[in-house]
């Protein structure tokens, strides 16, 4: 099969479009003909190299996949079935999995991250329980753009933060995958959403997704603007995935009893914490990683009904994966960048 792989860490130039071995199916697995694969920042980090992480080489990235089943070692999986893939793979047998908390499984792994080749290829294999059927009216590009970011945002808002109707939510980086998903989910569940972005165009698009008000994070102080917009109260929930560059302002934006949920550290992993503010304001900090299969199925109902829709920035053919990753690195996109295979 054709695939995009890297044989060493480095810039986008290390990505090679080349022949790779076809996947061999083990019991309980399905082979999917990849039609679309969406990019995530995880693809960039693993290509550059992660501290203390040994990534097998050559490596195929890609966690967000949609396509058609072409073979399966389970008799109840139909060939030709149109699917998107749950990107989190778990053992299915441990206490966490059996309790519906599969993203806490000790064996949990993200497709295309370490030992499981991902969707930058013509074919990918996954456990059959990771197949999610998609209706005929859902195209492969939007289906590939949905799972990881919407699952992450859903888990952050609905499970970690336990979002309530009428609450105020601050979403950082509206143009990112998690950002555009979080705006839509929070708005859908009756929250008043404030969003940040780095250009006027992105701010207007955030409003179109449901943001009540917006903040230009290159020209305005986010915490000061949130205080002004909320009559000095602050927000109930902050969706934080930027990291070091925004951490202090995110904490200052919280109202008393507020919850900050973090799922990423794109700008760095070190965030200073004022412990006096933490306990005096009775704040809560949640760490969030991916989400469960059940949460993806719940979010998908809204996707299939047209109430949630991934925003597509641009599509590229598979062989132009290096160009696609460069666009993601430049942070000029609004929404998801998708490879069409």
């Amino acid at each position: 099969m054709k695939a995009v792989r890297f044989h060493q860490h480095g810039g986008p130039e290390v990505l090679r479009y080349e022949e790779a071995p076809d996947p061999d199916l083990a019991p309980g697995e399905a082979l999917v003909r990849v039609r679309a694969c969406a990019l995530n920042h995880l693809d960039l980090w693993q290509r550059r190299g992660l501290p203390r992480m040994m990534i097998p080489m050559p490596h195929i990235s890609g966690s967000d996949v949609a396509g058609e089943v072409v073979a399966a070692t389970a008799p109840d999986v139909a060939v030709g079935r149109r699917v998107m893939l749950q990107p989190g793979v778990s053992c299915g047998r441990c206490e966490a999995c059996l309790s519906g908390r599969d993203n806490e499984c000790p064996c949990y792994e993200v497709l295309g991250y370490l030992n499981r080749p991902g969707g930058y290829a013509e074919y990918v294999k996954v456990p059959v329980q990771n197949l999610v059927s998609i209706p005929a009216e859902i195209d492969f590009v939007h289906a590939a753009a949905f799972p990881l970011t919407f699952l992450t945002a859903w888990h952050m808002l609905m499970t970690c933060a336990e979002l309530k109707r009428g609450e105020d939510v601050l979403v950082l980086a509206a143009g990112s995958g998690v950002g555009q998903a979080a705006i839509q989910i929070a708005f859908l569940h009756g929250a008043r959403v404030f969003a940040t972005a780095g250009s006027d165009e992105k701010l207007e698009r955030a409003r179109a997704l449901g943001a009540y008000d917006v903040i230009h994070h290159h020209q305005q102080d986010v915490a000061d603007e949130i205080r002004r917009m909320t009559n000095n109260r602050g927000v109930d929930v902050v969706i934080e995935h930027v990291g070091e560059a925004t951490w202090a302002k995110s904490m200052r934006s919280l109202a008393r009893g507020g919850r900050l949920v973090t799922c990423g550290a794109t700008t760095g992993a070190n965030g200073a914490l004022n412990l006096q503010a933490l306990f005096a304001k009775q704040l809560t900090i949640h760490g969030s990683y991916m989400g469960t299969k059940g949460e993806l199925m719940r979010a998908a109902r809204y996707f299939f009904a047209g109430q949630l829709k991934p925003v597509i920035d641009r599509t590229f053919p598979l062989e132009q994966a290096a160009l696609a990753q460069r666009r993601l690195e430049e942070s000029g996109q609004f929404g998801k960048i998708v490879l069409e295979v």
Side-chain angles (χ1 to χ4, degrees):
M1 68 175 181
K2 289 291 188 180
V4 171
R5 306 192 293 181
F6 58 88
H7 297 249
Q8 63 189 58
H9 295 299
E13 68 278 359
V14 303
L15 297 175
R16 299 183 191 173
Y17 180 65
E18 60 189 12
E19 288 290 335
D22 290 343
D24 292 324
L25 291 187
E29 291 185 331
L31 184 66
V32 174
R33 170 68 168 90
V34 179
R35 296 297 183 183
C37 179
L39 272 63
N40 292 287
H41 274 92
L42 180 61
D43 306 354
L44 309 182
W45 299 330
Q46 61 190 227
R47 190 206 70 220
R48 296 169 186 158
L50 292 160
R52 299 179 298 278
M53 288 290 185
M54 295 296 294
I55 295 176
M57 302 283 186
H59 186 73
I60 302 175
S61 298
S63 305
D64 268 335
V65 179
E68 300 149 333
V69 174
V70 294
T73 54
D76 58 340
V77 178
V79 170
R81 179 176 163 190
R82 302 174 76 253
V83 296
M84 64 182 185
L85 304 185
Q86 151 69 316
V89 181
S90 58
C91 75
R93 300 182 301 274
C94 68
E95 179 186 356
C97 287
L98 295 175
S99 301
R101 297 177 289 108
D102 44 277
N103 62 325
E104 298 177 24
C105 173
C107 301
Y108 192 83
E109 189 172 348
V110 179
L111 185 67
Y113 179 25
L114 289 175
N115 298 306
R116 287 190 171 272
Y120 285 32
E122 291 181 315
Y123 298 97
V124 66
K125 68 172 184 176
V126 291
V128 294
Q129 59 265 32
N130 284 64
L131 303 174
V132 179
S133 295
I134 56 176
E137 62 270 19
I138 301 291
D139 64 82
F140 289 123
V141 169
H142 284 87
F146 185 82
L148 192 145
T149 49
F150 277 83
L151 173 61
T152 297
W154 185 281
H155 185 73
M156 293 174 79
L157 284 161
M158 309 310 296
T159 301
C160 295
E162 297 181 330
L163 181 67
K164 302 175 183 64
R165 182 169 294 275
E167 288 191 312
D168 287 341
V169 176
L170 169 62
V171 176
L172 300 181
S176 67
V178 169
Q180 53 94 14
I183 291 170
Q184 293 185 58
I185 293 168
F187 177 76
L188 180 66
H189 288 85
R192 184 171 68 156
V193 183
F194 302 94
T196 78
S199 72
D200 291 337
E201 179 187 359
K202 289 184 178 182
L203 294 175
E204 285 308 308
R205 296 189 70 176
R207 287 185 188 274
L209 290 176
Y212 172 80
D213 213 338
V214 293
I215 302 167
H216 195 306
H217 58 225
H218 292 318
Q219 299 177 3
Q220 299 169 292
D221 183 283
V222 172
D224 289 348
E225 286 301 302
I226 285 295
R227 289 288 168 184
R228 180 184 65 80
M229 293 171 173
T230 61
N231 196 26
N232 208 37
R233 176 180 177 273
V235 296
D236 301 288
V237 176
V238 173
I239 296 302
E240 166 65 69
H241 54 107
V242 178
E244 198 168 319
T246 56
W247 184 262
K249 292 177 181 179
S250 293
M251 292 297 295
R252 285 202 298 121
S253 298
L254 286 168
R256 291 186 179 277
R259 296 95 73 198
L260 182 146
V261 188
T262 177
C263 74
T266 306
T267 60
N270 297 313
L273 187 60
N274 183 325
L275 295 179
Q276 290 176 319
L278 182 70
F279 62 71
K281 292 176 65 177
Q282 302 181 68
L283 306 178
T284 302
I285 299 173
H286 294 271
S288 178
Y289 188 62
M290 298 292 285
T292 69
K293 292 182 177 69
E295 289 172 315
L296 179 59
M297 297 305 295
R298 287 192 287 277
R301 293 192 192 106
Y302 293 98
F303 174 35
F304 299 157
Q307 295 172 280
L308 294 174
K309 186 174 184 180
V311 177
I312 306 301
D313 175 73
R314 278 189 64 182
T315 63
F316 291 82
L318 176 62
E319 57 268 29
Q320 293 182 12
L323 290 177
Q325 287 201 4
R326 283 194 179 97
R327 178 162 179 81
L328 184 59
E329 284 183 317
E330 292 165 358
S331 299
Q333 87 287 352
F334 191 98
K336 298 289 283 183
I337 300 169
V338 182
L339 299 175
E340 291 190 274
V341 185

